[in-house]
Amino acid sequence: MAETADDSCPTQLIAGDGEFNAPGLRDFINSVKLHECGLSYAVVAIMGPQSSGKSTLLNHLFYTNFREMDAFKGRSQTTKGVWIAKAVGIEPFTIVMDLEGTDGRERGEDDTTFEKQSALFALAVADIVIINMWCHDIGREQAANKPLLKTVFQVMMRLFSPRKTTLLFVIRDKTKTPFEYLEPILREDVQKIWQTVHKPQAYKDTPLSEFFNVEVIALASYEEKEEQFKEQVAQLRQRFFHSISPGGLAGDRRGVVPASGFSFSAEQIWKIIKENKDLDLPAHKVMVATVRCEEIANEKFRCLESDKDWLALEQAVKTGAVSGFGKSISSILKTYLSEYDMESAYFEEDVRNAKRQYLESKALQLVYPAYITMLGHLRANAFESFGVRLEKCLSRGEGFAASVRTCQQSAMLEFDQGCSDAAIQQANWDASKVREKLHRDIEVHASVVRGEKLSELQAEFEKRLSGALSEPLESLFEAGGPDTWVSVRSVLKRESDAAASDFLSAVAGFELDQETVDKILHDLKEYARKLVERKSREESGKVLIRMKDRFATVFNHDQDSMPRVWTGKEDIRAIMKEARCESLKLLSTMAAVRLDDRPDTVENVLFSTLMDRTDTISSQSRDVGVSGDPLASSTWEEVPPDKTLITPVQCKALWRQFKAETEYTVTQAISAQEAYKRGNNWLPPPWAIMAMIVLGFNEFMLLLRNPLYLLVLFVTYLLGKAIWVQTDIPGLFQNGILAGLIALSTRFFPAVMNILSRLAAEGHDREALPSQSFRNQTWQPESVSSSVPDSSVSTETSLEYSSPQIIKRRVSHKEEKEMS
């Protein structure tokens, strides 16, 4: 769609009072999208006397919509301040500035400040300055163009480093005088004015062409020759196309400000002009570039902070490692840095690069915590991977040291690959510290695992030693022979050496140094020794029981281990001494720990003190030379206190208790001998036999004459025996005669009834036996044979010799039969 004059967006840039319209300029730039042009834009300004047709020329030349003077209302000031608009249909993008006319009556003769300020502003900002002048003023000394040119050249000197500007003189209302005569006169007047203007010493001999390209054109009168005017303006318009190209009206541009910085630059230039300061354009250019590039950098940084992809990455990395982290971050940073480069491409290179580094530094500071978090995840993952791999290798039975090396290399390689993946292209961050920490963590973990595995191995071998030593030691200490400790030392050495040899084979894969191996073996052997000592202390606590068992074994069994029958021929005293001697040997064996094979006098002291002097071993100990009571002490000679299991005082107390508790066994043996003697001598003396024959002759004859008396006596005896067994009379009278009589009174009648009922039941069974055995002899021979003992047991004689248990069993058998 074709653009119209309304698209020029005329805006007052500077008010008549000198107030700069910054918001209006920003709105204008946004409306015409000037910030997208980069360096591809030009600025054209026009100055000239008031009411000289400047706005009319601009509107026809650039299709703008500036306010024009209405000639029918009189000639007065139309444009106040400085206005700005977009040239419609011109390429490149062209900004048109319409300045307030000079020599206006509204400001007066002496108020030329704003004229100079606006002229300086136009020279500092514009690439092309159009000087609108009347044709009849050419050649006049006091014409309106003279003060205007003087003003232009004077303010030009305030630009310490002025840029080369095109001065396009537009001669309005051209007369009949040929243009070929007008142009040299105008150029001569311009040269004279340039020479008369006071210049700084550095530019005293500088020609006008160093600062200006002077172009001159003439236009017909707009009021009298409008069509010709429009044709000439249309031809002039064509010269503004491609004006910034080499050879164009604005082709020789130095220090141009990029379009995105135009607003700030124009505002700052006007501020410096208002403050009446010298305008250093190169410094201003650097300042504009600094401010604008910083604005662009800050804008890109804010966009980066709110970037969805970055925020998603930042959130994701908090929970774990992110694959492609470095590539993603690098891509995001590259996007915003590229945008910065595009928008700041036309500013001063040094400033642009400095602000780019500033933006890059801030962006890297923003992502650095996420990068460190990512490294932390990589380190944790590599460390965890090391632990898992190491556990698997050890479970497969591989050597510990070799497994650690292999797993460590794998973990470090995994971490390095993760660091490469997480590396950010724009940064040169070093992950060596995190890598060193991972290496230290792996070494610490490996050391901990090695310690745990060695502890497990040591505990396993200690358990093995405990199992290998416990039962043999218990057996040896229970035997308590003279060679007990020799055997204990032999067992200890054998099992310790075997465990040490197996342990060396088990830890070969750990590649331990010799010092560590020696220490562990020493600890293992010390454990075995302490185990023996602990076991010996436990067994020493059972010594009294062992002594009594030893005494009972020796006293109650002969040399063939057969139980003794005390017939009266045995020498109980000699047997007792022998048994006590064996028990005392056991006590002397358990009195001290003898793992170092050091001689001691414990056994001699015990035998010399506790056994009778008449004993053989006792007689051998007379050479010891003990004075007083050697057992009245808490230590043994030649035995360290820590190796003492039972002190002399404790031995004496144990022996005294032992003797007291074994006296009953001896007493029982003596009683058994006497009972055996009495049992074998059951006949009364001969005189008693003769007395019974003489005195009982009549009763004996009475029984012979009446056999029924014998039967009554026999039945009475059987009945009494049965009642004796049934009621357990000895047991009833154990608690006293009265208690026994009371218990007997309650049991006597039930016992008699029980015996009678059983006799009746036995008689019934005997009557039923022949017919039952006849019926079952063909089909159940086993039941017949088994019933014979039951019936034979029920005889009267069996009642006499049956034990209470048999009677009870028969009663229960009878009850079961009745229930069935």
Side-chain angles (χ1 to χ4, degrees), residues 39 41 123-128 156 159-166 203 206-213 244 249-258 265 269 281-282 284-285 346 348:
L39 295 178
Y41 77 101
L123 287 174
V125 173
D127 301 300
I128 304 169
M156 190 67 184
L159 304 178
F160 284 171
S161 299
R163 56 186 197 152
K164 198 167 186 178
T165 307
T166 297
Y203 303 107
T206 303
L208 177 66
S209 60
E210 182 70 21
F211 296 142
F212 295 103
N213 290 323
I244 63 175
L249 283 178
D252 188 10
R253 302 198 302 168
R254 291 177 294 183
V256 62
V257 176
S265 175
I269 288 175
L281 289 183
H284 172 74
K285 181 181 178 182
Y346 306 109
E348 222 21 67

Side-chain angles (χ1 to χ4, degrees), residues 608-628:
S608 63
T609 306
L610 301 178
M611 293 297 293
D612 294 335
R613 298 279 182 178
T614 56
D615 189 77
T616 305
I617 301 177
S618 165
S619 64
Q620 294 176 355
S621 62
R622 292 177 181 175
D623 299 333
V624 177
V626 181
S627 61

